[in-house]
Amino acid sequence: MATETSTQSYSEKWYWDERYTNESEPFDWYQKYSSLAPLINLYVPQRNQRALVIGCGNSAFSEGMVDDGYEDVANIDISSVVIDTMIKKYSDRPQLKYLKMDVRDMKAFEDASFDAVIDKGTLDSILCGSNSRQYSTQMLEEVWRVLKDKGVYILITYGAPIYRLRLFKEACPWTTKLHVIDKSLTDQPLETPKWELTKPLPLDADGSSVESAIGKSPDVHYIYVCIKDESLKMEADAA
């Protein structure tokens, strides 16, 4: 990735087409599947679950899920270049499906068609660009729509609660849990991670409780587990 590239480009289709044309090696944003597997397994059982990975890129994350026993993993990306590459690469893995699609408009998927949606960096990329608030709300509303009731949206991000909780609240009435993982686990797992991955942190409405639990500016990736609850949506609509 060229160092002079503005992060604003992360929200643009041309940037990703160009990047994937020039880079063929798999790249995983933030964390690999092996680091996150205990948490994914906790919220998404391996059997009889349909998962959607948004902004999949050329990541090996979904391959890791299938190797771990997941049987139906759909993947979407805005870049036709990378989707064409991944379709060819995984032509012998029927559990993996790849589709070119904009996460803000997933009309190819029916309502309530997935048990889990997994996002490593896609919301973050949208927030880098113009109209970020509008586009992120569109994306979160679409994620809500394609999830089954009690389905989970799992977001892996650098965004602290003070920034992300407000976005969730504005889009849909999620029930949200927060986990963290050491950034250092990205490459080589520590023998004793500082934070217990599968244990949620205390989370109040504005996220201020997190700072008292893990301190200011912790070297972590945040993992938000947002649970869709149709009854909360009905209450909000009725209010």
Side-chain angles (χ1 to χ4, degrees):
M1 181 168 54
T3 52
E4 65 269 17
T5 298
S6 161
T7 56
Q8 188 170 347
S9 302
Y10 290 172
S11 66
E12 303 292 340
K13 178 183 180 296
W14 65 261
Y15 167 78
W16 296 108
D17 279 342
E18 189 174 291
R19 174 167 173 165
Y20 291 127
T21 298
N22 296 319
E23 294 182 15
S24 57
E25 288 300 307
F27 180 80
D28 264 293
W29 288 90
Y30 303 152
Q31 299 284 337
K32 293 185 169 75
Y33 178 73
S34 55
S35 300
L36 294 170
L39 184 102
I40 303 294
N41 296 163
L42 178 65
Y43 289 104
V44 190
Q46 277 105 324
R47 299 286 178 249
N48 303 314
Q49 298 281 300
R50 190 175 184 220
L52 172 63
V53 177
I54 56 177
C56 61
N58 61 8
S59 161
F61 192 88
S62 298
E63 178 186 354
M65 289 184 69
V66 168
D67 289 344
D68 198 23
Y70 291 94
E71 300 164 327
D72 189 350
V73 184
N75 302 266
I76 66 168
D77 200 280
I78 200 169
S79 169
S80 55
V81 172
V82 80
I83 289 297
D84 289 346
T85 299
M86 299 301 267
I87 288 171
K88 290 171 188 165
K89 180 175 181 178
Y90 292 112
S91 59
D92 61 341
R93 303 294 292 268
Q95 307 95 325
L96 290 169
K97 299 169 187 68
Y98 287 88
L99 299 146
K100 179 189 177 295
M101 201 178 299
D102 187 328
V103 72
R104 297 168 299 171
D105 181 10
M106 298 189 285
K107 59 178 173 285
F109 297 136
E110 295 180 2
D111 295 0
S113 52
F114 291 98
D115 299 281
V117 174
I118 299 170
D119 174 1
K120 288 197 306 130
T122 297
L123 180 63
D124 291 353
S125 293
I126 287 174
L127 291 172
C128 288
S130 55
N131 300 318
S132 60
R133 184 57 63 89
Q134 175 191 346
Y135 291 159
S136 61
T137 298
Q138 288 174 350
M139 173 193 145
L140 289 168
E141 287 174 346
E142 275 290 85
V143 168
W144 175 282
R145 183 185 66 77
V146 303
L147 275 174
K148 297 177 183 176
D149 191 28
K150 303 303 188 290
V152 293
Y153 167 51
I154 300 177
L155 169 68
I156 299 94
T157 173
Y158 61 79
I162 192 171
Y163 302 110
R164 293 295 179 264
L165 291 178
R166 194 184 313 123
L167 285 177
F168 300 150
K169 199 176 297 182
E170 286 176 1
C172 304
W174 304 96
T175 298
T176 304
K177 298 182 181 182
L178 175 65
H179 298 254
V180 294
I181 186 169
D182 292 297
K183 285 183 178 176
S184 54
L185 289 181
T186 305
D187 297 316
Q188 292 189 338
L190 302 171
E191 286 186 22
T192 52
K194 196 170 182 182
W195 317 109
E196 191 177 340
L197 175 61
T198 55
K199 185 177 180 182
L201 295 177
L203 188 62
D204 55 13
D206 63 358
S208 57
S209 59
V210 175
E211 188 176 298
S212 58
I214 62 176
K216 285 187 177 180
S217 305
D219 195 27
V220 299
H221 289 126
Y222 298 92
I223 306 166
Y224 299 89
V225 180
C226 303
I227 302 161
K228 176 178 177 176
D229 188 335
E230 285 285 8
S231 65
L232 294 178
K233 183 77 159 64
M234 287 187 282
E235 287 173 17
D237 291 345

mmCIF file of all heavy atoms in Angstrom, residues 138-160:
data_model
loop_
_atom_site.group_PDB
_atom_site.id
_atom_site.type_symbol
_atom_site.label_atom_id
_atom_site.label_comp_id
_atom_site.label_asym_id
_atom_site.label_seq_id
_atom_site.Cartn_x
_atom_site.Cartn_y
_atom_site.Cartn_z
ATOM 1 N N GLN A 138 -26.595 3.927 6.309
ATOM 2 C CA GLN A 138 -27.151 3.055 5.271
ATOM 3 C C GLN A 138 -26.621 1.635 5.407
ATOM 4 O O GLN A 138 -27.367 0.655 5.311
ATOM 5 C CB GLN A 138 -26.807 3.596 3.879
ATOM 6 C CG GLN A 138 -27.557 4.851 3.495
ATOM 7 C CD GLN A 138 -27.071 5.428 2.171
ATOM 8 O OE1 GLN A 138 -26.053 4.989 1.624
ATOM 9 N NE2 GLN A 138 -27.788 6.412 1.665
ATOM 10 N N MET A 139 -25.317 1.529 5.648
ATOM 11 C CA MET A 139 -24.693 0.223 5.786
ATOM 12 C C MET A 139 -25.256 -0.532 6.989
ATOM 13 O O MET A 139 -25.634 -1.709 6.887
ATOM 14 C CB MET A 139 -23.175 0.380 5.943
ATOM 15 C CG MET A 139 -22.475 -0.929 6.262
ATOM 16 S SD MET A 139 -20.777 -0.688 6.816
ATOM 17 C CE MET A 139 -20.671 -2.026 7.999
ATOM 18 N N LEU A 140 -25.334 0.132 8.132
ATOM 19 C CA LEU A 140 -25.806 -0.540 9.351
ATOM 20 C C LEU A 140 -27.278 -0.931 9.237
ATOM 21 O O LEU A 140 -27.689 -1.986 9.744
ATOM 22 C CB LEU A 140 -25.581 0.363 10.562
ATOM 23 C CG LEU A 140 -24.113 0.538 10.968
ATOM 24 C CD1 LEU A 140 -23.968 1.676 11.976
ATOM 25 C CD2 LEU A 140 -23.535 -0.753 11.533
ATOM 26 N N GLU A 141 -28.066 -0.125 8.543
ATOM 27 C CA GLU A 141 -29.468 -0.483 8.337
ATOM 28 C C GLU A 141 -29.599 -1.710 7.434
ATOM 29 O O GLU A 141 -30.459 -2.566 7.638
ATOM 30 C CB GLU A 141 -30.233 0.708 7.738
ATOM 31 C CG GLU A 141 -30.465 1.819 8.755
ATOM 32 C CD GLU A 141 -31.098 3.066 8.146
ATOM 33 O OE1 GLU A 141 -31.119 3.175 6.887
ATOM 34 O OE2 GLU A 141 -31.576 3.922 8.915
ATOM 35 N N GLU A 142 -28.724 -1.805 6.446
ATOM 36 C CA GLU A 142 -28.729 -2.983 5.569
ATOM 37 C C GLU A 142 -28.249 -4.238 6.315
ATOM 38 O O GLU A 142 -28.782 -5.330 6.130
ATOM 39 C CB GLU A 142 -27.845 -2.742 4.340
ATOM 40 C CG GLU A 142 -28.541 -2.040 3.211
ATOM 41 C CD GLU A 142 -29.582 -2.927 2.550
ATOM 42 O OE1 GLU A 142 -30.730 -2.975 3.063
ATOM 43 O OE2 GLU A 142 -29.291 -3.591 1.554
ATOM 44 N N VAL A 143 -27.222 -4.083 7.152
ATOM 45 C CA VAL A 143 -26.760 -5.211 7.969
ATOM 46 C C VAL A 143 -27.904 -5.708 8.856
ATOM 47 O O VAL A 143 -28.156 -6.914 8.963
ATOM 48 C CB VAL A 143 -25.535 -4.804 8.819
ATOM 49 C CG1 VAL A 143 -25.233 -5.862 9.874
ATOM 50 C CG2 VAL A 143 -24.317 -4.595 7.922
ATOM 51 N N TRP A 144 -28.605 -4.772 9.495
ATOM 52 C CA TRP A 144 -29.759 -5.131 10.330
ATOM 53 C C TRP A 144 -30.794 -5.902 9.505
ATOM 54 O O TRP A 144 -31.312 -6.930 9.931
ATOM 55 C CB TRP A 144 -30.375 -3.859 10.910
ATOM 56 C CG TRP A 144 -31.653 -4.060 11.693
ATOM 57 C CD1 TRP A 144 -32.905 -4.258 11.174
ATOM 58 C CD2 TRP A 144 -31.799 -4.098 13.119
ATOM 59 N NE1 TRP A 144 -33.821 -4.405 12.193
ATOM 60 C CE2 TRP A 144 -33.168 -4.314 13.394
ATOM 61 C CE3 TRP A 144 -30.914 -3.964 14.184
ATOM 62 C CZ2 TRP A 144 -33.670 -4.396 14.689
ATOM 63 C CZ3 TRP A 144 -31.415 -4.037 15.477
ATOM 64 C CH2 TRP A 144 -32.772 -4.256 15.728
ATOM 65 N N ARG A 145 -31.081 -5.410 8.312
ATOM 66 C CA ARG A 145 -32.122 -6.009 7.471
ATOM 67 C C ARG A 145 -31.798 -7.459 7.106
ATOM 68 O O ARG A 145 -32.670 -8.331 7.165
ATOM 69 C CB ARG A 145 -32.305 -5.181 6.188
ATOM 70 C CG ARG A 145 -33.418 -5.693 5.271
ATOM 71 C CD ARG A 145 -33.478 -4.925 3.975
ATOM 72 N NE ARG A 145 -32.301 -5.107 3.131
ATOM 73 C CZ ARG A 145 -32.077 -6.203 2.394
ATOM 74 N NH1 ARG A 145 -32.921 -7.218 2.400
ATOM 75 N NH2 ARG A 145 -30.980 -6.273 1.642
ATOM 76 N N VAL A 146 -30.539 -7.731 6.724
ATOM 77 C CA VAL A 146 -30.209 -9.086 6.252
ATOM 78 C C VAL A 146 -29.994 -10.074 7.400
ATOM 79 O O VAL A 146 -29.949 -11.287 7.173
ATOM 80 C CB VAL A 146 -28.982 -9.096 5.308
ATOM 81 C CG1 VAL A 146 -29.227 -8.184 4.118
ATOM 82 C CG2 VAL A 146 -27.693 -8.735 6.041
ATOM 83 N N LEU A 147 -29.872 -9.559 8.623
ATOM 84 C CA LEU A 147 -29.707 -10.451 9.774
ATOM 85 C C LEU A 147 -31.052 -11.015 10.231
ATOM 86 O O LEU A 147 -32.072 -10.335 10.226
ATOM 87 C CB LEU A 147 -29.085 -9.697 10.956
ATOM 88 C CG LEU A 147 -27.564 -9.590 11.011
ATOM 89 C CD1 LEU A 147 -27.155 -8.681 12.167
ATOM 90 C CD2 LEU A 147 -26.899 -10.959 11.147
ATOM 91 N N LYS A 148 -31.015 -12.264 10.681
ATOM 92 C CA LYS A 148 -32.183 -12.852 11.330
ATOM 93 C C LYS A 148 -32.360 -12.215 12.707
ATOM 94 O O LYS A 148 -31.412 -11.650 13.269
ATOM 95 C CB LYS A 148 -31.992 -14.365 11.490
ATOM 96 C CG LYS A 148 -31.877 -15.125 10.178
ATOM 97 C CD LYS A 148 -31.607 -16.594 10.425
ATOM 98 C CE LYS A 148 -31.426 -17.362 9.123
ATOM 99 N NZ LYS A 148 -31.076 -18.782 9.338
ATOM 100 N N ASP A 149 -33.565 -12.322 13.253
ATOM 101 C CA ASP A 149 -33.783 -11.867 14.625
ATOM 102 C C ASP A 149 -32.863 -12.656 15.554
ATOM 103 O O ASP A 149 -32.733 -13.880 15.433
ATOM 104 C CB ASP A 149 -35.250 -12.091 15.029
ATOM 105 C CG ASP A 149 -35.599 -11.395 16.330
ATOM 106 O OD1 ASP A 149 -34.975 -10.366 16.640
ATOM 107 O OD2 ASP A 149 -36.502 -11.892 17.029
ATOM 108 N N LYS A 150 -32.171 -11.958 16.429
ATOM 109 C CA LYS A 150 -31.156 -12.492 17.344
ATOM 110 C C LYS A 150 -29.842 -12.832 16.631
ATOM 111 O O LYS A 150 -28.936 -13.419 17.217
ATOM 112 C CB LYS A 150 -31.657 -13.733 18.117
ATOM 113 C CG LYS A 150 -32.934 -13.501 18.928
ATOM 114 C CD LYS A 150 -32.795 -12.369 19.924
ATOM 115 C CE LYS A 150 -33.996 -12.260 20.852
ATOM 116 N NZ LYS A 150 -35.212 -11.770 20.140
ATOM 117 N N GLY A 151 -29.748 -12.444 15.358
ATOM 118 C CA GLY A 151 -28.480 -12.588 14.653
ATOM 119 C C GLY A 151 -27.467 -11.571 15.153
ATOM 120 O O GLY A 151 -27.815 -10.596 15.827
ATOM 121 N N VAL A 152 -26.183 -11.779 14.825
ATOM 122 C CA VAL A 152 -25.126 -10.916 15.360
ATOM 123 C C VAL A 152 -24.330 -10.235 14.248
ATOM 124 O O VAL A 152 -24.014 -10.843 13.221
ATOM 125 C CB VAL A 152 -24.149 -11.696 16.275
ATOM 126 C CG1 VAL A 152 -24.844 -12.155 17.534
ATOM 127 C CG2 VAL A 152 -23.508 -12.882 15.558
ATOM 128 N N TYR A 153 -24.060 -8.959 14.465
ATOM 129 C CA TYR A 153 -23.124 -8.195 13.644
ATOM 130 C C TYR A 153 -21.858 -8.053 14.467
ATOM 131 O O TYR A 153 -21.870 -7.450 15.551
ATOM 132 C CB TYR A 153 -23.725 -6.828 13.306
ATOM 133 C CG TYR A 153 -22.753 -5.823 12.718
ATOM 134 C CD1 TYR A 153 -21.938 -6.138 11.633
ATOM 135 C CD2 TYR A 153 -22.673 -4.528 13.237
ATOM 136 C CE1 TYR A 153 -21.064 -5.204 11.087
ATOM 137 C CE2 TYR A 153 -21.811 -3.575 12.700
ATOM 138 C CZ TYR A 153 -21.006 -3.924 11.622
ATOM 139 O OH TYR A 153 -20.135 -2.996 11.096
ATOM 140 N N ILE A 154 -20.760 -8.631 13.986
ATOM 141 C CA ILE A 154 -19.490 -8.600 14.715
ATOM 142 C C ILE A 154 -18.551 -7.653 13.980
ATOM 143 O O ILE A 154 -18.141 -7.907 12.843
ATOM 144 C CB ILE A 154 -18.883 -10.009 14.828
ATOM 145 C CG1 ILE A 154 -19.844 -10.946 15.573
ATOM 146 C CG2 ILE A 154 -17.527 -9.957 15.549
ATOM 147 C CD1 ILE A 154 -19.370 -12.393 15.664
ATOM 148 N N LEU A 155 -18.224 -6.544 14.634
ATOM 149 C CA LEU A 155 -17.378 -5.511 14.052
ATOM 150 C C LEU A 155 -16.030 -5.501 14.751
ATOM 151 O O LEU A 155 -15.952 -5.287 15.966
ATOM 152 C CB LEU A 155 -18.050 -4.139 14.207
ATOM 153 C CG LEU A 155 -17.177 -2.919 13.879
ATOM 154 C CD1 LEU A 155 -16.849 -2.864 12.395
ATOM 155 C CD2 LEU A 155 -17.859 -1.627 14.323
ATOM 156 N N ILE A 156 -14.969 -5.707 13.980
ATOM 157 C CA ILE A 156 -13.602 -5.588 14.489
ATOM 158 C C ILE A 156 -13.072 -4.250 13.969
ATOM 159 O O ILE A 156 -13.075 -3.984 12.764
ATOM 160 C CB ILE A 156 -12.713 -6.759 14.015
ATOM 161 C CG1 ILE A 156 -13.271 -8.092 14.526
ATOM 162 C CG2 ILE A 156 -11.285 -6.577 14.525
ATOM 163 C CD1 ILE A 156 -14.175 -8.808 13.570
ATOM 164 N N THR A 157 -12.615 -3.380 14.876
ATOM 165 C CA THR A 157 -12.329 -1.997 14.514
ATOM 166 C C THR A 157 -11.285 -1.371 15.439
ATOM 167 O O THR A 157 -11.038 -1.875 16.535
ATOM 168 C CB THR A 157 -13.641 -1.162 14.588
ATOM 169 O OG1 THR A 157 -13.357 0.221 14.387
ATOM 170 C CG2 THR A 157 -14.322 -1.326 15.937
ATOM 171 N N TYR A 158 -10.717 -0.262 14.991
ATOM 172 C CA TYR A 158 -9.864 0.542 15.876
ATOM 173 C C TYR A 158 -10.701 1.573 16.632
ATOM 174 O O TYR A 158 -10.192 2.298 17.477
ATOM 175 C CB TYR A 158 -8.763 1.250 15.073
ATOM 176 C CG TYR A 158 -9.286 2.195 14.026
ATOM 177 C CD1 TYR A 158 -9.742 3.466 14.366
ATOM 178 C CD2 TYR A 158 -9.334 1.825 12.682
ATOM 179 C CE1 TYR A 158 -10.240 4.331 13.405
ATOM 180 C CE2 TYR A 158 -9.830 2.683 11.718
ATOM 181 C CZ TYR A 158 -10.278 3.932 12.084
ATOM 182 O OH TYR A 158 -10.780 4.780 11.131
ATOM 183 N N GLY A 159 -12.004 1.669 16.316
ATOM 184 C CA GLY A 159 -12.851 2.731 16.844
ATOM 185 C C GLY A 159 -13.307 2.494 18.276
ATOM 186 O O GLY A 159 -13.964 1.491 18.579
ATOM 187 N N ALA A 160 -12.982 3.413 19.174
ATOM 188 C CA ALA A 160 -13.347 3.301 20.581
ATOM 189 C C ALA A 160 -14.853 3.508 20.766
ATOM 190 O O ALA A 160 -15.524 4.097 19.905
ATOM 191 C CB ALA A 160 -12.578 4.335 21.404
#
